[in-house]
Amino acid sequence: QTVMRESQRLSRMVGNILDFSRMESGRKTWDFVDTDVAGIVHATLREFEPMLEDQGFTVEIAIDDDLPMIKADPEALVTAVANLLTNAIRYSPDRKQLKVCLYATGPQIALDIADRGVGIPEGESTIIFEKYRRASNAADVATGTGLGLALVAGIAKSHGGAVGALPRDGGGSLFRLTLPTRS
């Protein structure tokens, strides 16, 4: 199981690097189709379930019923959700609690992934979405390429959405990905 998980992690890392390179060079193509975001979030959480259990995380999930389908690239959304979950896990070395919420808000669908990790220092909530950048307090737990959040930001932008980070009451961070329900 460990070998399989590490293989998946490395595969995702290589995929992130390739996707980011294609986005930066303008060669990334998107396959926008009717997409069930709730289905993508559920499937991605199932993929992460063994890792979350092994590391002792508690996960609270709140996904609204009857969310509309959106025009999106399903593979890109899986990548975005997986990167947000990976960061929430990576930067939560002590308090292993996640909350995943998916809901409609006006003309958008919002995905919140909240952790009780190290948090983001004041004034750094935008720079973490730049390539090769991390929060200044992440040095002790940082691994990977530093491209994950930049890739999420690029995916959000290409879909007419946005991603942002907020401090969480009680410690940790809340990452919010918003996607329009209409194209």
Side-chain angles (χ1 to χ4, degrees), residues 96-159:
K96 299 179 178 290
Q97 303 169 2
L98 298 182
K99 184 173 184 179
V100 179
C101 301
L102 183 65
Y103 55 96
T105 174
Q108 298 179 322
I109 289 179
L111 171 66
D112 291 351
I113 297 181
D115 63 53
R116 291 288 181 199
V118 298
I120 301 165
E122 189 173 330
E124 295 184 28
S125 62
T126 56
I127 66 159
I128 58 172
F129 293 100
E130 297 172 11
K131 63 182 175 181
Y132 311 120
R133 296 292 296 265
R134 291 190 175 93
S136 60
N137 63 342
D140 293 340
V141 289
T143 60
T145 61
L147 293 176
L149 290 178
L151 183 58
V152 173
I155 290 168
K157 183 178 178 183
S158 72
H159 284 72

Side-chain angles (χ1 to χ4, degrees), residues 57 85-95 115-119 133-135 137-144 146 149 172-173 175:
F57 275 86
L85 285 170
T86 297
N87 276 5
I89 294 166
R90 179 179 295 143
Y91 295 106
S92 296
D94 300 321
R95 294 173 62 199
D115 63 53
R116 291 288 181 199
V118 298
R133 296 292 296 265
R134 291 190 175 93
N137 63 342
D140 293 340
V141 289
T143 60
L149 290 178
S173 304
F175 284 82

Side-chain angles (χ1 to χ4, degrees), residues 50-69:
M51 181 188 327
L52 291 164
E53 287 177 6
D54 286 351
Q55 293 187 31
F57 275 86
T58 59
V59 182
E60 181 182 339
I61 301 169
I63 297 180
D64 281 359
D65 294 328
D66 301 323
L67 290 172
M69 300 280 277

Side-chain angles (χ1 to χ4, degrees), residues 37-47 61 63:
V37 180
I40 286 174
V41 171
H42 278 299
T44 307
L45 282 167
R46 276 192 304 276
E47 178 187 332
I61 301 169
I63 297 180

